[in-house]
Amino acid sequence: MQTLTPEMVAAARKSLQECLAKSVIPKEYWDEITHWLEATHMENIYLEGREAIGAWWASKEVRKMGFAINFAKGGCMPSNWFPEGENWDMAQAQAKYRLVADWQCLIEHDALIKI
């Protein structure tokens, strides 16, 4: 595994902040996203903002259904689940649609873990 340089970490954090600023994601979720990325160490894996946020969002959604995602096995790009749209409700609906569309891929790759 490649060691992250301080420059890489700074660039990833900048990408995340820029992505959040341009998104329809309510600001009250921004700290939650940052803390989740740190706690799960996903900030060291998904260095691009859309990937990191998509991973957070999908993890949150599958947890509601009693699952966790093993992203290493997933076979899907989390940026596909990035919530974007005209408003937060529409963005979530569209992201959920794309997550459901990828559900078969997650099953085939044995990436869903019952919790």
Side-chain angles (χ1 to χ4, degrees):
M1 185 165 112
Q2 182 181 355
T3 303
L4 295 179
T5 65
E7 294 82 14
M8 292 169 74
V9 171
R13 289 185 179 149
K14 181 179 179 186
S15 175
L16 176 65
Q17 292 307 312
E18 288 174 350
C19 194
L20 286 169
K22 294 177 186 174
S23 76
V24 296
I25 299 168
K27 287 186 180 183
E28 56 262 21
Y29 288 111
W30 293 13
D31 283 342
E32 177 185 330
I33 293 167
T34 302
H35 293 303
W36 181 85
L37 290 167
E38 291 171 3
T40 61
H41 303 287
M42 289 294 171
E43 69 177 352
N44 299 327
I45 297 169
Y46 298 119
L47 303 179
E48 196 273 319
R50 290 179 61 87
E51 293 285 326
I53 295 167
W56 163 78
W57 189 86
S59 177
K60 183 175 163 175
E61 285 301 303
V62 300
R63 184 166 294 282
K64 292 177 187 176
M65 296 181 271
F67 290 95
I69 299 176
N70 180 334
F71 289 99
K73 289 182 165 185
C76 302
M77 297 302 292
S79 61
N80 192 40
W81 308 318
F82 177 82
E84 59 188 337
E86 294 177 24
N87 58 56
W88 180 233
D89 291 334
M90 185 57 77
Q92 289 188 97
Q94 291 174 359
K96 186 172 268 188
Y97 175 79
R98 292 188 305 270
L99 177 61
V100 169
D102 285 341
W103 201 257
Q104 184 64 35
C105 178
L106 294 170
I107 291 170
E108 289 172 358
H109 286 93
D110 198 28
L112 295 172
I113 303 157
K114 187 73 175 156
I115 52 174

